[in-house]
Every structure is written in structure tokens, then in C-alpha cells.
Amino acid sequence: MLWLVALIPLLAAPVLYGLGRRGGPALLGWASAAIVLGTFGLAWAAVIGDWSGSYRWSAQVVLSAALSPAGGVFALIVPLVAAPILLYSAYHEAEASSGTALARLIALLLAFVGAMELLVLAADLLTLLIAWELVGALSWALIAHHWPSDRTVRDAAWAFLVTRFGDLGLYIAAGAAFAGTGSFDFVELAQLDGTPLHVFVGGILLACAAKSAQLPFSPWLFAAMSGPTPVSALLHAATMVAAGVYLLIRLHQTLDAVAWFAPLAIGLGLATALAGGVVASLQGHAKKLLAASTSSHYGLMWLAVGAGYPGAALLHFVTHAFFKAGLFLAAGIAEHHVGSYSLGDMRLGRKLPGIALATLLISLALAGAPPPSGAL
């Protein structure tokens, strides 16, 4: 049953694409939102019922799924964040996309939710690799949604290649784990020691740093802003970039067994948080400012994990996912009115007072200012 949490959105995506080509934005938006809310319901039942699953690929290889505490939180948060974004996509992108293009965008976003659910349900490195590859491929397709634009395709390729380089670390880690334990299962990682353990930790750090846009990989996140606003809101605020932090939290006990893990994670996180903050303060492009802020916040999550507080990083992820997705959607609404992401043009307090007030409150919460104090 646990596999259904990931399979339902993955299998529903091509069906919705076929129906959406003949239907309108309302059908696409409400149907996709209903599917992800159904996924949330299944995930909730899985958490309550402690579901698990396995599939024997061969005599030596078994794909397995289980919910860790962190995985349960991610499995619930991803569809909750995705539902309003899918509704936003159906109506906000309808004017900029043909019926076929809009159906493709919604279907890819829905498939991405399924891939991300598979990633957080994975209980072994092989299942994780399959989900990791799906997330990477779908993110490339989503960033390059407006494919007639050469710049968009180039930026999507740049983001894909940088994260793909980091993905090599996950393959290295999987090989080290199998060499040291004879298994890909997360449970067997406790047996790792010596050189295989050091190689495993190094590979995981490389993969997670690239995915979470930590230094020196941060620039790919700015290139990814060429994608549509809903893509930025889902992938680059609440899911894809979160995959690296999730894996650090999920494997923290194994990673922390190596003495150099903590100082390296703290150093990378602190450097990225400071650099991202400086870059954000100098940005005049709304989405790129939010991208720099995202990289900075995930740096703080790395800092928390490295310092031995993965629970604090998990809580930070939850608040950041909702707040930052909201800010991306607000930026998209403002751009729709002024035709530009330039902050100098977005003086819309009188024209959009509700959006302006919501943006102010979310910004204060993300900054940790009272009374919302979300980031704290």
C-alpha cells in the first residue's frame, strides 16, 4: 500500500495530460489538486498505520519503502504545498500557455510530486537513486517548459548538468555502501566503517550540496528561475532543493559517525547562508532574490544538521516550504500585473492590497520577526 503514495500521482500525470488537452484550466487545476490531496490522505494513513512495502527485483536486489519520522513529515508537507500551486498554475499560466502546454506543465508538476514522494519513502539506496533520477529529469523538463526560448533551454540545461554532477556522489555512496555491507538497505548502514564509511559520507555530502544549492553549486538555482513561477514555487522552495536536506536528516546518524562531517556541514551551511543573504540584498529581480534567500535558508538547515540538531532543520524546512512558496506565487501575481520581475516596478500596494499585506506578513515570518517568527 505504501507504494501508492508515490504511484498515484505518477500514474495520474499522463492520464491528466490526455484529458487536459481537451479540457480547460478548471479541469486541470481542480483535478490535479484533488489528486495531490488524495495523496496527502494516503500519506496520513501510512503515517498512522506505519505502512511499509518491498518489491523483489531479483534475488540480490530488493526495492523497499518505509516511513522514517523525517520521511513522514516530508510525505505530508509535499502534497499540502503542491495543491495550491497546482491550482495557481492552472489559472495563472493559462494565458501564457496553449492548452497542450498547460496540460504538460500540470502533468509534469503532478509527476514531480510522485517522484518526490518516492524519494522520501525510499528505505534503500537503490530506490532512492531511482527517485533521485526522476526528480532530476522532471525538474529539467519543468524549468525548460517555455522551450521555444533559447535562454530557458540553456538555463535548464545548466541547472541539470550542475545537479547531475552532484548526483555522481550518490552513485559513489551507493557503491561504497554495497562494498562495505553487501546491501543497499539503510538499516545496514550501521555496519559501515573505515574507508567505505568515509567514501559514503563524502558521496552523500556531494549529492546533497548540489541538490540544496550550497556553495559552490548555488548558481544553478538562479538559472532555474527561468522556469515558470509555479515551478519555482514547488521545486525550488519546497521539494527538489529540500531533497538534499532531507537526505542529511534521514542519514544523520550514519553521517555523524565521521568526525569531519559536522565541521564540513557547518562550514558549507554557514558560508552559503551568509553569501545567499548578501546576494539577496543586492538583487533587483524578485525571483532571483527569492532564489538567493532559498539557498541561504537551506544553508541554515545544513548548519543545524551539522551542529547535531536535525529536528531543528526539519522544522525549518516545514515553515520555509509554506512561506517561500507563498512568496514565489505573490511574485508571479505581481509580474502578471506589471510584466516584469523588477522589484522597482512592483509597487502594487494600492492595486493589490491583499497580496501586499500577505507578502509583508510572510516576509516577516520568514525573517523570524515577531509576532509570526516562522523561521525561529
Side-chain angles (χ1 to χ4, degrees), residues 343-364:
L343 291 172
D345 296 333
M346 291 183 177
R347 302 181 183 276
L348 301 171
R350 293 182 179 178
K351 184 177 290 188
L352 300 171
I355 297 298
L357 178 61
T359 301
L360 174 62
L361 292 176
I362 294 173
S363 299
L364 290 173

Side-chain angles (χ1 to χ4, degrees), residues 125 171-183 192 195-201:
L125 287 161
Y171 283 92
I172 293 170
F178 193 82
T181 67
S183 172
L192 273 179
T195 300
L197 176 60
H198 287 271
V199 173
F200 174 82
V201 174

Side-chain angles (χ1 to χ4, degrees), residues 87-180:
L87 283 172
Y88 173 95
S89 303
Y91 291 98
H92 183 270
E93 295 295 322
E95 294 182 11
S97 305
S98 66
T100 299
L102 181 62
R104 183 179 72 246
L105 175 64
I106 299 293
L108 286 172
L109 286 169
L110 188 59
F112 187 90
V113 170
M116 190 67 192
E117 291 284 32
L118 182 61
L119 191 152
V120 301
L121 296 178
D124 65 87
L125 287 161
L126 186 56
T127 306
L128 179 69
L129 273 168
I130 293 171
W132 203 270
E133 292 287 359
L134 282 173
V135 166
L138 289 169
S139 68
W140 170 81
L142 284 164
I143 297 169
H145 173 66
H146 298 302
W147 57 266
S149 167
D150 291 339
R151 179 181 178 183
T152 297
V153 174
R154 183 176 64 251
D155 286 346
W158 167 245
F160 181 72
L161 289 174
V162 173
T163 53
R164 285 295 295 165
F165 175 77
D167 293 350
L168 294 175
L170 195 56
Y171 283 92
I172 293 170
F178 193 82

Side-chain angles (χ1 to χ4, degrees), residues 252 256 261-262 266 302-312:
H252 179 258
D256 202 41
F261 163 73
I266 290 171
W302 270 67
L303 176 61
V305 173
Y309 297 98

Side-chain angles (χ1 to χ4, degrees), residues 9-370:
L10 280 170
L11 295 177
V15 176
L16 191 62
Y17 173 69
L19 294 175
R21 294 176 65 184
R22 296 184 291 274
L27 170 65
L28 284 167
W30 289 104
S32 59
I35 291 167
V36 296
L37 288 177
T39 300
F40 169 80
L42 270 177
W44 181 263
V47 171
I48 298 298
D50 195 22
W51 293 358
S52 62
S54 64
Y55 173 77
R56 184 169 293 278
W57 190 307
S58 67
Q60 292 78 29
V61 178
V62 177
L63 303 180
S64 54
L67 278 170
S68 65
V73 172
F74 272 78
L76 294 172
I77 295 301
V78 169
L80 280 181
V81 174
I85 292 174
L86 285 164
L87 283 172
Y88 173 95
S89 303
Y91 291 98
H92 183 270
E93 295 295 322
E95 294 182 11
S97 305
S98 66
T100 299
L102 181 62
R104 183 179 72 246
L105 175 64
I106 299 293
L108 286 172
L109 286 169
L110 188 59
F112 187 90
V113 170
M116 190 67 192
E117 291 284 32
L118 182 61
L119 191 152
V120 301
L121 296 178
D124 65 87
L125 287 161
L126 186 56
T127 306
L128 179 69
L129 273 168
I130 293 171
W132 203 270
E133 292 287 359
L134 282 173
V135 166
L138 289 169
S139 68
W140 170 81
L142 284 164
I143 297 169
H145 173 66
H146 298 302
W147 57 266
S149 167
D150 291 339
R151 179 181 178 183
T152 297
V153 174
R154 183 176 64 251
D155 286 346
W158 167 245
F160 181 72
L161 289 174
V162 173
T163 53
R164 285 295 295 165
F165 175 77
D167 293 350
L168 294 175
L170 195 56
Y171 283 92
I172 293 170
F178 193 82
T181 67
S183 172
F184 292 111
D185 202 303
F186 287 162
V187 175
E188 302 300 325
L189 293 177
Q191 301 178 23
L192 273 179
D193 59 7
T195 300
L197 176 60
H198 287 271
V199 173
F200 174 82
V201 174
I204 293 294
L205 280 174
L206 174 61
C208 292
K211 215 70 160 183
S212 292
Q214 300 298 288
L215 291 174
F217 304 105
S218 303
W220 78 259
L221 193 56
F222 296 90
M225 293 303 106
S226 291
T229 297
V231 174
S232 302
L234 181 62
L235 276 65
H236 307 130
T239 53
M240 179 182 172
V241 185
V245 167
Y246 163 73
L247 196 55
L248 290 183
I249 296 170
R250 178 69 174 83
L251 302 178
H252 179 258
Q253 187 173 356
T254 302
L255 300 174
D256 202 41
V258 173
W260 49 264
F261 163 73
L264 183 56
I266 290 171
L268 276 176
L270 184 59
T272 304
L274 293 173
V278 171
V279 172
S281 67
L282 300 175
Q283 272 292 341
H285 186 285
K287 283 179 66 176
K288 291 184 178 180
L289 182 154
L290 294 174
S293 170
T294 296
S295 182
S296 179
H297 274 274
Y298 278 97
L300 292 175
M301 295 178 212
W302 270 67
L303 176 61
V305 173
Y309 297 98
L314 183 62
L315 182 59
H316 192 164
F317 155 74
V318 173
T319 57
H320 179 271
F322 286 106
F323 294 148
K324 187 56 66 66
L327 288 175
F328 269 111
L329 297 186
I333 293 171
E335 185 274 339
H336 183 71
H337 279 76
V338 301
S340 168
Y341 282 106
S342 172
L343 291 172
D345 296 333
M346 291 183 177
R347 302 181 183 276
L348 301 171
R350 293 182 179 178
K351 184 177 290 188
L352 300 171
I355 297 298
L357 178 61
T359 301
L360 174 62
L361 292 176
I362 294 173
S363 299
L364 290 173
L366 199 58

